[in-house]
Amino acid sequence: MNTINKQSLDSLGYHFIPSHFLPKGKDEYYLRNEQNKNGIDYRQLTAFEIEALVRNRNTSDNWNNILVSAEFDPELVKNCKFYGLVRIGKLEPLYLEFHNLRLPVGLYNSTIISCDFGNNVIIENVNYISHYIVGNEVMIVNVNELNATDHSKFGNGVVMDGESEKVRIWLEVCNENGGRSILPFDGMLAGDAWLWSRFRADEKLQNKLREFTDARFDLRRGRYGQIGDRSIIKNTAIIKDVFIGSDAYIKGANKLKNLTINSSAEAKSQIGEGCELVNGIIGYGCRIFYGVKAVRFVLSSHSQLKYGARLINSFLGNNSTISCCEVLNSLIFPAHEQHHNNSFLCAALVMGQSNMAAGATIGSNHNSRSPDGELIAGRGFWPGLCVSLKHNSKFASFCILAKGDFLYELNVPFPFSLVSNDAKRDELVIMPAYWFLYNMYALARNSWKYVDRDKRTDKTQLLEFGFLAPDTINEMVNTLKLFHGIAGKAFSEKFRKANGKIQKDLHTLGKKLLEESDRKLNDMVFLADEIENSNRPVRIIRMLEAYQLYKQLIIYHLAEQLLNFIGEKKITTLAELQKVIRTPKSTTEWLNAGGQLIRTEAIHKLVSDIQKNKIKSWDNVHQFYKIEGNRYKEDKLLHALSAYQEVFGGKLKEETLYHIFTQALGTRQWMMEAIRKSREKDYVNPFRKMVYESEAEMNKVIGPLNENTFIAHENEKFKEFKRKVNGLLKKSTVKI
């Protein structure tokens, strides 16, 4: 049986805060008065104004509780019911227009309970609006219910005074059994979500992060809902316990409950038709349209949910788009793309710059006795068409998976790889460095477009979009070592029958063969261990080419960092450079903390400082991100130097620097040519051209190759790189 409470009608609109939660000497409006900062000087109605309001079929339980501004026109309030204390700003004989919706200023045909209104608002056909503070020039039209309760949390994972811990909202990211749950809060960054979801055995850290979240909010009961200036709400069914920033646009939504919708004049957020959003935080500049369902979520700034997307128990990073598909229990870093109706992502940590193709099913099948599997994918993760992938799996940066069912757990440590399932031979096939060999255009353009499309107004975290960075450089360095063992093992097993013995130090043997590009390697089959949890072969193809490419890229990355350093320090010669650079003793490990690359030792110090109460709030954590961002250039240079040293050894003499820049120039020219060639395929492939009647039609549809703006942009960058390098080399005293 439904419980229906019956109260005296004269109490409607009053006693919003239960008496036992009121501080001594405070009335039920004390928090409301703190929240309302519109600066309007309200006064009581005159007898003439009351007469006009009654004549216009308005009613109130107590006209003395209707307060208005000096420029209040009672003729602009018609057929409304007022209960409790209602304060109304300036009403002038004007109409407001937004997207061809033109309506007169005023309050019409609405039931209004204990609300504050700014100047020149439009409230029309609002069946029920209760305990809201509404800004200036706000339009609210055709809304069934707009209501705030005394325990509103606006999507934040807190409990208000007197509430049970059971009502706290957790996000169960990365894992379906809640083992990595985090508390959402307004202002949460991807780095915060990552930090909280890791280090789960550290209970002291976990408790501190929870304390940070509780301390971030005022837990007193009685906060009103708020709607910022110039926001538009129309044709919407239910809005309950929702904070709405300025300049927001909400149209045709079904249900919005327990949300913070951040919006501003510089970064407007929009919510469209058929959306149902519950228990969430929505960042600035977000767009949510057409039947979206989101429950227990954080949507970071300038992201989009569209066309029936479902986002549940998940965190989605900045500048991301999900449409037509389902995402559950996932933590996704910035710049994620997922567009297709039949793609599915579950229980995953996806580290950004990622793209889910149609039919990709990631994490839908469990191969354990409980739903506790997880997937971890480095930056640039790209599961291709109809990929089916099981837990647990882990992928290095910029891995692309070809169409197929991957029936076993995977641990792919090789960056920039193409991973294929060869069903005919029953083997896993991995091509390291695939992107550089076959699709340089897409790799380079993606890095460029992420920077170009980064619309964040708050750049607390310095996001790394470049494909060469400390994380990928470390992966390449580690891959070179793995290749040594793989090559040594393949050589030893192939020739052991001939010489009757097996080499003991396979890594040393493999390194020697690869460094010398020994022709004996050309006809070998390279098999890797501990990549797939199966008994079938894992074959590495094009390994010798990948080995050389990785080494070239490590050199090129160092040259890029040195050029940045030279520009900042105004160094003019290699001899001068050689005197000021220092090489670290060892290569540092790095972690991807929400799209920001941070040294592992710095993260561990952060954790230690939180435990020791040196870092006392999320604001302090965010300051840590800024500090690490400010030193990133220097750290990246030191890391590039140490990575080079680890792979090539020797001292960085002027002659060494000369060779580094000479090789880097050749690599940069090769990359430029590869960018053009990989795009050129679309213009010369007869199967691509056959859909066009002529070359003129093809150029009209996809644009002429010689007018490609990205290729032109990269060509200019190459010329600048070449100019700088040649300038250094000309001043060198090195004799070749």
Side-chain angles (χ1 to χ4, degrees):
M1 183 175 72
N2 290 339
T3 301
I4 306 295
N5 293 319
K6 298 177 183 177
Q7 302 288 338
S8 172
L9 183 60
D10 59 14
S11 67
L12 180 59
Y14 304 96
H15 315 300
F16 182 58
I17 305 175
S19 58
H20 53 284
F21 289 114
L22 277 174
K24 188 175 180 180
K26 300 289 186 180
D27 63 22
E28 66 169 304
Y29 307 120
Y30 82 103
L31 287 177
R32 173 181 179 178
N33 293 333
E34 288 180 15
Q35 288 179 265
N36 191 339
K37 301 183 185 302
N38 61 23
I40 298 173
D41 186 14
Y42 295 105
R43 60 172 177 82
Q44 289 194 314
L45 293 166
T46 65
F48 169 79
E49 288 169 335
I50 294 173
E51 180 182 351
L53 289 169
V54 172
R55 184 175 66 251
N56 288 332
R57 301 181 303 281
N58 299 292
T59 63
S60 172
D61 64 306
N62 185 344
W63 289 110
N64 290 327
N65 284 336
I66 308 298
L67 304 181
V68 298
S69 74
E71 300 175 79
F72 170 74
D73 185 345
E75 298 299 333
L76 303 181
V77 181
K78 298 180 181 179
N79 199 30
C80 290
K81 301 176 183 177
F82 296 100
Y83 299 92
L85 175 64
V86 177
R87 299 186 287 205
I88 306 171
K90 176 175 19 177
L91 295 180
E92 299 177 290
L94 306 168
Y95 78 84
L96 304 183
E97 178 180 356
F98 182 80
H99 288 189
N100 295 320
L101 176 67
R102 303 179 183 92
L103 290 170
V105 163
L107 283 63
Y108 307 100
N109 308 314
S110 300
T111 297
I112 300 168
I113 301 173
S114 193
C115 291
D116 289 348
F117 299 100
N119 294 322
N120 290 325
V121 300
I122 296 172
I123 308 294
E124 182 165 334
N125 296 330
V126 180
N127 294 339
Y128 184 88
I129 177 171
S130 172
H131 297 94
Y132 258 86
I133 298 171
V134 178
N136 301 314
E137 298 179 3
V138 170
M139 303 171 69
I140 307 177
V141 183
N142 299 334
V143 174
N144 290 348
E145 178 184 346
L146 181 52
N147 179 28
T149 62
D150 72 298
H151 52 272
S152 297
K153 292 169 277 292
F154 307 114
N156 295 291
V158 296
V159 292
M160 308 305 287
D161 286 346
E163 285 191 308
S164 166
E165 187 64 32
K166 294 179 181 179
V167 305
R168 192 186 291 268
I169 299 298
W170 293 84
L171 298 190
E172 298 175 0
V173 297
C174 300
N175 190 296
E176 287 184 281
N177 65 10
R180 297 193 186 275
S181 295
I182 62 176
L183 293 175
F185 61 86
D186 185 23
M188 186 177 226
L189 303 175
D192 304 334
W194 172 84
L195 179 68
W196 203 337
S197 69
R198 315 318 290 179
F199 306 103
R200 299 309 286 196
D202 191 337
E203 291 191 18
K204 189 171 184 179
L205 172 68
Q206 296 295 317
N207 290 335
K208 283 287 185 182
L209 298 181
R210 179 168 168 171
E211 290 172 13
F212 288 178
T213 304
D214 282 338
R216 195 175 176 86
F217 300 98
D218 187 343
L219 303 180
R220 295 174 294 174
R221 285 178 178 249
R223 291 205 166 272
Y224 279 38
Q226 289 187 254
I227 301 172
D229 296 346
R230 300 174 301 280
S231 285
I232 315 298
I233 305 173
K234 67 178 186 180
N235 306 327
T236 293
I238 299 172
I239 301 176
K240 185 173 183 179
D241 290 343
V242 179
F243 173 93
I244 303 171
S246 72
D247 302 277
Y249 184 27
I250 300 171
K251 55 175 181 175
N254 291 343
K255 183 175 185 179
L256 308 177
K257 181 179 179 182
N258 191 30
L259 305 170
T260 290
I261 303 173
N262 288 297
S263 182
S264 68
E266 297 76 26
K268 305 171 188 176
S269 289
Q270 299 185 25
I271 299 174
E273 293 81 354
C275 294
E276 295 168 12
L277 313 175
V278 178
N279 300 335
I281 307 292
I282 298 169
Y284 289 94
C286 287
R287 299 165 65 86
I288 306 174
F289 287 118
Y290 309 128
V292 166
K293 316 298 178 188
V295 180
R296 298 194 182 211
F297 68 98
V298 173
L299 183 66
S300 300
S301 67
H302 298 89
S303 290
Q304 301 184 70
L305 301 176
K306 303 186 294 184
Y307 308 126
R310 284 86 73 203
L311 182 69
I312 301 168
N313 261 316
S314 295
F315 181 105
L316 182 64
N318 310 89
N319 306 308
S320 297
T321 299
I322 295 178
S323 60
C324 312
C325 49
E326 186 169 8
V327 175
L328 306 172
N329 304 97
S330 292
L331 170 52
I332 304 172
F333 292 176
H336 175 77
E337 299 286 331
Q338 189 169 347
H339 297 280
H340 307 286
N341 189 48
N342 51 351
S343 61
F344 179 85
L345 180 63
C346 178
L349 169 58
V350 181
M351 296 186 180
Q353 297 164 250
S354 37
N355 197 316
M356 291 271 292
T361 305
I362 308 302
S364 63
N365 300 304
H366 305 291
N367 52 8
S368 64
R369 284 155 294 283
S370 62
D372 60 356
E374 297 182 22
L375 178 138
I376 299 177
R379 293 191 296 133
F381 181 58
W382 196 319
L385 296 170
C386 300
V387 163
S388 177
L389 193 61
K390 293 180 179 293
H391 295 154
N392 293 1
S393 292
K394 188 174 182 180
F395 297 92
S397 304
F398 296 94
C399 278
I400 182 169
L401 280 68
K403 177 180 179 180
D405 294 328
F406 294 87
L407 303 177
Y408 309 99
E409 295 95 337
L410 294 172
N411 181 13
V412 180
F414 315 126
F416 307 104
S417 292
L418 171 65
V419 183
S420 306
N421 183 32
D422 189 335
K424 185 176 181 179
R425 295 185 180 182
D426 191 26
E427 62 184 18
L428 187 73
V429 180
I430 301 177
M431 184 193 298
Y434 159 80
W435 288 100
F436 300 104
L437 293 169
Y438 290 103
N439 208 349
M440 190 67 218
Y441 177 87
L443 181 65
R445 184 179 178 277
N446 283 347
S447 291
W448 168 78
K449 80 176 183 183
Y450 294 135
V451 175
D452 186 60
R453 297 177 185 179
D454 185 7
K455 305 301 182 185
R456 292 175 300 151
T457 51
D458 176 9
K459 296 190 176 182
T460 295
Q461 289 204 266
L462 178 65
L463 302 181
E464 176 61 83
F465 294 124
F467 54 84
L468 295 180
D471 57 344
T472 54
I473 294 297
N474 275 352
E475 288 170 343
M476 285 191 281
V477 171
N478 292 332
T479 295
L480 294 178
K481 297 173 185 176
L482 293 173
F483 284 176
H484 295 161
I486 293 170
K489 182 181 177 183
F491 183 90
S492 181
E493 289 184 351
K494 181 168 183 176
F495 293 103
R496 65 181 174 180
K497 291 182 180 179
N499 57 28
K501 61 180 180 180
I502 299 177
Q503 287 274 358
K504 291 183 179 179
D505 190 350
L506 300 180
H507 282 266
T508 301
L509 171 63
K511 182 176 182 180
K512 182 176 182 297
L513 294 167
L514 288 166
E515 290 292 337
E516 296 174 355
S517 297
D518 195 303
R519 286 181 294 178
K520 296 187 184 73
L521 296 175
N522 294 337
D523 299 323
M524 289 186 187
V525 175
F526 299 108
L527 301 179
D529 298 323
E530 299 181 355
I531 302 295
E532 183 180 75
N533 186 20
S534 72
N535 294 321
R536 67 179 187 160
V538 176
R539 185 157 56 99
I540 312 300
I541 60 175
R542 309 291 291 273
M543 194 175 82
L544 185 57
E545 289 176 82
Y547 185 84
Q548 299 301 334
L549 264 175
Y550 285 155
K551 290 176 64 181
Q552 290 176 39
L553 293 166
I554 290 168
I555 294 172
Y556 172 72
H557 175 66
L558 173 57
E560 275 197 318
Q561 305 316 307
L562 287 173
L563 281 179
N564 291 336
F565 180 75
I566 288 167
E568 289 178 1
K569 302 298 181 181
K570 295 182 170 52
I571 294 169
T572 57
T573 67
L574 292 179
E576 188 182 349
L577 175 63
Q578 191 270 332
K579 291 178 182 178
V580 297
I581 58 174
R582 57 188 176 89
T583 304
K585 293 180 180 179
S586 60
T587 306
T588 54
E589 294 298 322
W590 291 66
L591 292 169
N592 186 340
Q596 179 176 1
L597 302 183
I598 302 176
R599 293 165 298 117
T600 301
E601 62 180 316
I603 293 291
H604 288 162
K605 187 177 186 305
L606 168 67
V607 170
S608 176
D609 286 348
I610 292 173
Q611 293 169 333
K612 295 175 182 176
N613 210 34
K614 292 181 180 179
I615 289 182
K616 302 179 180 181
S617 67
W618 283 116
D619 287 339
N620 293 157
V621 175
H622 295 175
Q623 186 61 30
F624 164 81
Y625 298 146
K626 290 181 180 178
I627 291 170
E628 289 301 311
N630 290 337
R631 62 173 292 172
Y632 181 58
K633 279 187 180 180
E634 179 184 354
D635 286 342
K636 187 157 62 165
L637 170 61
L638 293 174
H639 175 267
L641 286 164
S642 63
Y644 175 88
Q645 194 75 25
E646 184 172 347
V647 173
F648 297 97
K651 293 184 179 180
L652 284 177
K653 300 177 182 179
E654 184 181 353
E655 183 179 353
T656 309
L657 291 171
Y658 187 97
H659 287 295
I660 286 172
F661 282 109
T662 301
Q663 290 183 62
L665 184 57
T667 301
R668 187 66 181 87
Q669 182 169 353
W670 166 81
M671 291 170 68
M672 184 63 235
E673 292 169 356
I675 288 171
R676 182 178 179 86
K677 285 180 180 178
S678 60
R679 180 58 174 152
E680 192 176 32
K681 296 178 203 174
D682 296 332
Y683 289 81
V684 298
N685 184 334
F687 291 96
R688 292 293 184 101
K689 295 174 67 175
M690 66 184 180
V691 298
Y692 309 108
E693 294 296 327
S694 65
E695 187 170 328
E697 181 184 343
M698 178 181 70
N699 288 335
K700 194 70 175 177
V701 173
I702 64 176
L705 179 63
N706 59 6
E707 294 180 12
N708 185 290
T709 55
F710 174 68
I711 293 176
H713 168 77
E714 285 298 296
N715 194 42
E716 289 303 313
K717 284 179 62 179
F718 167 63
K719 290 178 181 178
E720 180 66 11
F721 183 87
K722 183 177 181 180
R723 183 188 65 78
K724 290 179 179 179
V725 170
N726 284 336
L728 281 171
L729 298 181
K730 286 177 182 178
K731 295 178 182 178
S732 173
T733 60
V734 175
K735 303 299 181 185
I736 303 300

